[in-house]
Amino acid sequence: MRDLSSQLLAWYDDHAREMPWRVSPADRKVGVRPDPYAVWMSEVMLQQTTVAAVRNYHRKFMGLWPAVRDLAAAEDADVMAAWAGLGYYARARNLLKCARAVVSEHGGVFPETNDQLLTLPGIGPYTAAAISAIAFDRAETVVDGNVERVMSRIYDVHTPLPAAKPQLTALARALTPDRRPGDYAQAVMDLGATICTPRSPACGICPWREPCAARLAGTAAELPRKTPKKKTPTRHGIAYVVRREDGAWLLETRPESGLLGGMLGWPGSDWRDAPAPTPTPPLATDWVALEQEARHTFTHFHLRLQVMTARVPLGVNPERGTFVAHADFRAAALPTAMRKVYDLAIVTLHPDGVAG
Ligand code: SF4
């Protein structure tokens, strides 16, 4: 077992991916330690999001809030706006809650152990293990989709996921070394992301090609097996885009609980399974229904939003939402689903507030 981890660490020394939050194996060997705050932020951002998409957001956040105390003191709205486009907004709310808990309960210093990390908001078993291993070099077993794939292949495990999870986790734990566990955790992730990829693993250049059971059996590309997923359902809703004659936009902050909670959005109906959602316009006016729907896919469902637009005079009093002056409005700060609504509506509601 130790041989396997040593082989992988030797490969990692030469092939580690560079990431803004990472300390290279060479720097680590001369005593450079990762910033736990940067590692934690990367792990929260990487939940459900690719490394490529996270890089710029991570740089932006570290630039705006270089230390956990800076983030803890930030305005909620600024953090939510900076997060816009990264998706899964509960993560942004938890990011703030966690930063504040680290400051108020831990004196601004991230705890090191799995158990302590698990008490913090937004940190589940995977994230706790990843932070503990990567930031503090503790021998925790970090198991994500990449690691499950690699384990299923080197041991030729044919039990389908998710039933195979406990077995794959146990195999990963048995391989986790006491020496350089942080580098090892990142090495398995890198192997899964760059060589042992889902469809066409590059076995010819893999540091584990000799012992790999799936390569020997010729089953690598079929693994891991997965229990077929249920079809993703579609939900339907209506979004109301209102432009006042002075150019202001009618927006509302979505309820804290639920999808896009706490984010700015267009007033709208509930999102239901029925193809004809119940209209809930924020004010009485002549609505124009756009032909094209806004479509967006969340983790568990597809959303189709009918877009209704209206121009209204000064002095109207909507039942919901608040008018935001055009000068203060930033489409880029909207979550992606709401941004897609804007992109359709803007064709009829010209940005100068007069034409169109
Ligand atoms: S030999 Fe191939 S299947 Fe096995 S771990 Fe390496 S890349 Fe994956």
Side-chain angles (χ1 to χ4, degrees):
M1 294 301 150
R2 202 159 287 278
D3 271 349
L4 281 178
S5 62
S6 301
Q7 282 167 7
L8 189 63
L9 282 166
W11 170 83
Y12 182 71
D13 285 342
D14 294 333
H15 297 92
R17 289 179 294 172
E18 282 180 26
M19 297 182 194
W21 52 87
R22 243 192 205 179
V23 171
S24 71
D27 284 346
R28 202 149 181 160
K29 275 182 189 152
V30 296
V32 180
R33 290 285 163 256
D35 174 4
Y37 170 65
V39 172
W40 159 75
M41 185 176 294
S42 74
E43 289 301 335
V44 174
M45 289 180 167
L46 286 166
Q47 294 164 358
Q48 317 277 356
T49 307
T50 62
V51 169
V54 164
R55 282 179 193 274
N56 285 341
Y57 279 88
H58 193 274
R59 279 200 196 93
K60 174 165 74 170
F61 269 64
M62 291 300 289
L64 288 168
W65 302 291
V68 68
R69 287 183 188 282
D70 303 319
L71 183 61
E75 294 290 337
D76 291 34
D78 291 344
V79 174
M80 300 308 279
W83 190 276
L86 202 51
Y88 305 98
Y89 295 91
R91 293 181 300 166
R93 294 194 298 279
N94 279 329
L95 193 81
L96 258 177
K97 279 189 203 155
C98 184
R100 288 169 184 161
V102 168
V103 169
S104 62
E105 294 164 25
H106 298 275
V109 178
F110 271 88
E112 294 191 16
T113 67
N114 225 357
D115 287 351
Q116 286 174 309
L117 285 161
L118 276 170
T119 65
L120 293 168
I123 297 190
Y126 169 80
T127 307
I131 297 170
S132 191
I134 296 169
F136 300 110
D137 217 18
R138 298 177 74 94
E140 298 294 347
T141 304
V142 185
V143 184
D144 66 354
N146 277 332
V147 178
E148 285 174 347
R149 183 169 62 254
V150 174
M151 292 300 131
S152 74
R153 288 174 175 174
I154 57 168
Y155 293 107
D156 201 27
V157 174
H158 286 241
T159 310
L161 283 166
K165 272 178 188 288
Q167 184 185 1
L168 297 176
T169 301
L171 291 169
R173 184 170 300 124
L175 277 186
T176 304
D178 294 331
R179 191 178 72 89
R180 301 176 62 193
D183 279 349
Y184 174 80
Q186 295 173 103
V188 189
M189 290 176 194
D190 282 12
L191 187 76
T194 62
I195 290 190
C196 196
T197 53
R199 283 197 193 85
S200 39
C203 301
I205 53 168
C206 176
W208 278 347
R209 62 187 171 278
E210 294 294 329
C212 179
R215 185 189 67 79
L216 291 168
T219 53
E222 300 161 26
L223 299 176
R225 296 199 191 286
K226 290 181 182 165
T227 305
K229 276 189 187 163
K230 284 192 214 140
K231 195 170 171 283
T232 309
T234 299
R235 290 192 195 158
H236 303 261
I238 306 174
Y240 297 93
V241 184
V242 180
R243 192 101 197 254
R244 208 168 53 186
E245 65 180 313
D246 62 349
W249 299 91
L250 184 64
L251 292 160
E252 70 178 7
T253 303
R254 295 182 59 81
E256 276 295 326
S257 58
L259 266 170
L260 310 183
M263 298 294 294
L264 215 51
W266 308 108
S269 69
D270 287 344
W271 301 342
R272 294 275 166 85
D273 295 335
T278 313
T280 52
L283 48 82
T285 185
D286 292 331
W287 293 99
V288 175
L290 301 191
E291 275 183 26
Q292 203 179 338
E293 290 173 326
R295 296 185 176 194
H296 187 68
T297 296
F298 293 98
T299 335
H300 301 301
F301 65 94
H302 303 297
L303 177 65
R304 292 185 178 189
L305 288 176
Q306 184 186 6
V307 182
M308 307 291 286
T309 65
R311 287 180 176 283
V312 296
L314 289 171
V316 294
N317 278 319
E319 288 169 25
R320 295 164 54 184
T322 310
F323 279 105
V324 174
H326 183 61
D328 297 330
F329 173 73
R330 283 188 297 143
L334 294 171
T336 307
M338 297 294 162
R339 173 64 192 261
K340 288 178 179 175
V341 170
Y342 170 82
D343 289 344
L344 293 175
I346 196 64
V347 177
T348 55
L349 300 172
H350 196 275
D352 63 13
V354 181

